[in-house]
Amino acid sequence: PAGGGRFIVNINPAPNLLPLNLPERGEIKRRLAKAVVAALPGDIAKRELDRVEKMLGWSGDQLQIRQLPKEWGPGNLLTLEIESDHVTEVFTGFGMKAVTADAVAEQAVKQSRRYLATKVPVGENLADQLLLPLALAGGGAFVTHSLTRHTKTNIDVITKFLPVRVAMRETARDTWLVEIAT
C-alpha cells in the first residue's frame, strides 16, 4: 500500500499436525459481507454491499462497512464469509483503478454462488491452501470443485518433495474428492 507497512509475528510451532477430513461442509451458520475502504469515499463500500444485498439477498447485520485510516490507502475490497458447521469459506473482490463497485461485488458474488450451488465444503482457492498442511500432517481428505490447474500443479510439486500420495477422484459433476496419504 501507499503507506507501506510492517508487522512483527511470533509463531509457536504446533507440536504435531493432525490429519483433517472435510467430506461435507454441514449446515450454513452465518453469512457476512464486509466492504473495506481506505482513503476512498465510503459510498464505494455502500454500493458494493447494495449489490451483495440485491444478488444474494443478504441484509442487516450480514452487511458491514469498515473505513480504514486514510494513510492505509487508497484501496478497497469486499469479502464474503460463509461459515458452516465444519469450515468457513471467504470470497474476495478487489477494487482496482477503473473497476466499478458493482464489478468488485460481482466478482465475489460469482465465486460464492458457485460454492453454494455445488455444496462442496472446500472452494477452489482453499483447496490449494489445504494441500501442504495435509501433506505435512501425513494425511487427510477434502471434497472440492473441479480441480484447477493451480491445484494440480501444487499436487505435483508437493509429491516431488514429500513422501505422500495424492488421489483425486470425481464423485459427481464438478465435485472431486482429494485424499492425501503417506
Side-chain angles (χ1 to χ4, degrees), residues 11-18 136-137:
I11 299 173
N12 296 316
N16 60 345
L17 295 176
L18 301 174
L136 292 171

Side-chain angles (χ1 to χ4, degrees), residues 126-144:
L126 181 56
D128 293 339
Q129 297 169 21
L130 286 176
L131 291 169
L132 184 58
L134 292 181
L136 292 171
F142 59 86
V143 175
T144 188

Side-chain angles (χ1 to χ4, degrees), residues 1-6 71-73:
R6 181 174 76 164
E71 60 271 13
W72 290 12

Side-chain angles (χ1 to χ4, degrees), residues 3-34:
R6 181 174 76 164
F7 63 92
I8 297 170
V9 177
N10 292 314
I11 299 173
N12 296 316
N16 60 345
L17 295 176
L18 301 174
L20 172 68
N21 290 298
L22 285 171
E24 60 185 35
R25 69 174 168 229
E27 183 182 331
I28 293 175
K29 300 291 186 188
R30 182 180 65 92
R31 295 174 175 89
L32 177 65
K34 208 179 305 182

Side-chain angles (χ1 to χ4, degrees), residues 94-169:
F94 294 96
M96 293 179 274
K97 205 174 230 180
V99 176
T100 67
D102 283 351
V104 171
E106 288 167 10
Q107 176 186 7
V109 166
K110 181 180 175 183
Q111 296 170 45
S112 68
R113 278 184 169 166
R114 178 171 184 233
Y115 174 75
L116 292 168
T118 58
K119 302 201 183 301
V120 299
V122 176
E124 62 189 33
N125 295 320
L126 181 56
D128 293 339
Q129 297 169 21
L130 286 176
L131 291 169
L132 184 58
L134 292 181
L136 292 171
F142 59 86
V143 175
T144 188
H145 299 293
S146 297
L147 303 175
T148 65
R149 286 177 48 202
H150 191 240
T151 299
K152 292 174 185 177
T153 300
N154 282 351
I155 290 168
D156 287 343
V157 171
I158 288 168
T159 57
K160 299 269 190 266
F161 286 92
L162 295 173
V164 296
R165 293 180 320 280
V166 181
M168 302 158 284
R169 181 171 49 94

